[in-house]
Amino acid sequence: MVIVAGHITVAPQQRESYLAGCVRVVEQARGAAGCLDFAISADLVDPGRINVFERWESQAAVDTFRGSGPSDEQGADMLSASVAEYDVAGVRALFGEGTA
């Protein structure tokens, strides 16, 4: 399993339009083979922060889905980014059955 997690920052006044531009990407990812979860969401505390979380069955699934990254327009709106991939060796459910 591979987890992609981190955050990007945009100007607070651009966050909602940036997120609106991500809707199609989220829909495509969630329909992609090997995608277990995919979310791009507004941070509850920082008005310029957008949290990124992806969970994939394998590195091959990530590589198949991953294009060239954000569109030129989205890339231009980013002030900074801190997103990384993590290879997961084991999973433990925290709540309920099968939540992992």
Side-chain angles (χ1 to χ4, degrees), residues 39-85:
I40 301 173
S41 56
D43 189 78
L44 295 176
V45 178
D46 183 337
R49 181 175 163 141
I50 296 170
N51 296 312
V52 176
F53 178 82
E54 305 172 25
R55 192 164 53 100
W56 297 88
E57 288 179 350
S58 66
Q59 186 64 52
V62 174
D63 294 341
T64 299
F65 175 76
R66 188 78 57 219
S68 59
S71 69
D72 291 341
E73 183 180 314
Q74 286 179 320
D77 288 341
M78 283 189 223
L79 300 177
S80 66
S82 177
V83 180
E85 288 184 357

